[in-house]
Amino acid sequence: MSAVQKELSELTSREYQYGFVTDIETDAAPRGLNEDVIRLISSKKNEPQWLLDWRLRAYRHWLTIKEPHWQNAHYGPIDYQDIIYYAAPKPKTAGPKSLDEVDPEILAMFNKLGISLGEQERLSGIAVDAIVDSVSVGTTFKKKLAEVGVIFCSFSEAVLDHPDLVKKYLGSVVPYTDNYFATLNSAVFTDGSFCFIPKGVRCPMELSTYFRINQADTGQFERTLIIAEDNAYVSYLEGCTAPMRDKNQLHAAVVELVALESAQIKYSTVQNWYPGDKDGKGGIYNFVTKRGKCAGANSKISWTQVETGSAITWKYPSVILKGDNSVGEFYSVALTNNRQQADTGTKMIHIGKNTRSTILSKGISAGHGQNTYRGLVKILKSAAGARNHTQCDSLLLGSQCGAHTFPYIDVGNPTAQVEHEASTSKISEDQLFYCRQRGIPVEDAASMIVNGFCREVFKELPMEFAVEAQKLLSVSLEGSVG
Amino acid sequence: MMLQIRNLHASVGGMEILRGLDLDVRAGEVHAIMGPNGSGKSTLAQVLVGRETYDVTGEVLYEGRNLLAMSPEQRAVEGVFLAFQYPVEIPGVGNLYFIRTALNMMRKQRGLDELDAMDFLALAKERMKFVEMDQSFMNRSVNTGFSGGETKRNEILQMAVLEPKLAILDETDSGLDIDALRIVANGVNALRSKERALLVITHYQRLLNYIVPDRVHVMANGRIVRSGDKHLALELEKNGYADFEQDTAGGARSAAGVTS
């Protein structure tokens, strides 16, 4: 190992900094999954009968299907009876909660994560829904948003306060039969965020949800539903962390986006779940179904993701381009270090005329990390004049990691145009040396080069998030380049 | 003495490239290193800035300190600069940001505050005049999509901003047309000073019409075989390197003493 490699490998082995556990009194369901547990979850949330029925239908369907294993990742069997499906911080006061009543321990935990739930601090004008384990513990700026008609609350509240909207859109993009993990989520989902932007409203601030897994042995199954009516606009951010634990934890979320005529939804994720230790012990299995539907003409859905955490990431934020002239975008940075595995990409389903999609994927592999881009561009017969441009770039740091690309292209209309570009490169000794000769130490140089590689994606992120993503990338790289 | 090299050997993969090189350089002096391809000129440059590809023995004192014991980045912040023969592309990293980061590393070493983007821009604009660059260079990624001439000008711009004590120019003239050569040479000349030493490595005499050296050294087979003043370069232009290569091919002749 050369001196450079040694320094680089030290750089990439820095510790995960959100790995602490907070001691919160928790109300949890018994371990394991059966109809009683589902009934318990539903009753804890005072859900209407139709929702319980929907859950049970999903559960019964789930029992008939098998866990898929086609992804390019390897892991031991998941024992679904060894997971706790509902864990909630115990409320200290009964009755409706306001932000003033949130357990100080929880506020302290979020402060430690760098998220302020205190509205008076008005941090960068972002409204936050904070979710711990299975439930939402608080949502900021609700009143201010309500003044312009925007509904932003926890999913559980939405079920109670806006049942018609939930009933209309739940499962409309990701049906409960969609896939194994989405079906499981439909049966047991516990909370999540709900956003509704009415006709013609441009949401006055960024909306965000911060997910925190705290409790051991729990799975997090949240459900997010965002609806933008005609001519509405919203930018939504999602962040996540979890404590360091030896055992793997399952995170199987579902996100559904609906954009009506000329509506725009911009969804950004910075995913930093605990990735496991350097030998691959522990970490989150992040098996998530994210899909948006451009239901109306001229609508637009844009996914931007920065995936640096999780032991295994398996997700394909997708767009169904149903409305004519609608636009789908996917911008992704996925970094795998140590023993992390990522199989991620997107699906762009072109149905409407003159629909357009752009895919830009940047995969970075370090240590023993395995990084796979998997994407589908499907142009249906109806999608005359559809266009897609795909670019997949992989960057390898070291000689023991891997980058894989599986693009699927299915064109059913002769007037469509589909382009695919791919590249794989290594961070070169020459680049590193050039930086060092200018006085820039190896680790700064490596993170500068990697950030440069990701720049096209980062510029799609909201400003504060872009800065955060750059920092996160540098931290996640520590100990990996070789 | 700024730089004192004694009995420097360097090999790569068991093949010896530098075979006992001696050289003394004082502050304020410009030394030209000339020689045929494969004589070890570029290896000398790489070894001085700490490229790890080489096994190195011998002694190199920089301002009286052991240069060979320093890491590449330490040498850089101590004021040793190399204008690369083939500057590398760093896609996505803005040129302005890159040079500012480098400058702030130097400033940190000297106990100065970091320059923010605004102050740096003012400095960079002023220094860009040295090499007749316009601001569009600054917004592009480091060397990415630059022409050969542009990369070389960018190297000299970095030198102008970083203000090294010892600057090594490795075949900065190669691949330049006559206009670019003039621009680069003017930039270098503007940076000549009493405190700064320059080591100009070149294959051709042509560059030395613009950057007039105090001393000229001829390298062959890993050693300096002859040293003289600027007239030596003209002599080489006339007679070529053939004499020197023959002289040392058998290794019978000992390294010429350096008399600077």
Side-chain angles (χ1 to χ4, degrees), chain B residues 10 16 18 36 49 51 66-67 73 80 102 109 128 133 140 149-150 153 201 224 250:
Chain B
E16 196 166 35
L18 297 183
V49 294
R51 190 81 198 212
N66 180 2
L67 186 72
E73 48 269 43
V80 180
Q109 173 72 16
M128 276 187 277
M133 281 166 92
R140 288 157 69 180
E150 285 171 340
R153 276 151 78 184
I201 293 170
I224 288 173

Side-chain angles (χ1 to χ4, degrees), chain B residues 15-28:
Chain B
M15 197 174 79
E16 196 166 35
I17 300 171
L18 297 183
R19 309 175 181 205
L21 183 140
D22 298 300
L23 180 66
D24 288 331
V25 180
R26 286 190 183 80

Side-chain angles (χ1 to χ4, degrees), chain A residues 430-431 434 436-438, chain B residues 51 73 80 82 155 158:
Chain A
D430 285 346
Q431 285 174 325
Y434 188 77
R436 297 177 77 193
Q437 210 303 303
R438 298 298 186 251
Chain B
R51 190 81 198 212
E73 48 269 43
V80 180
L82 173 65
E155 293 295 287
Q158 292 178 55

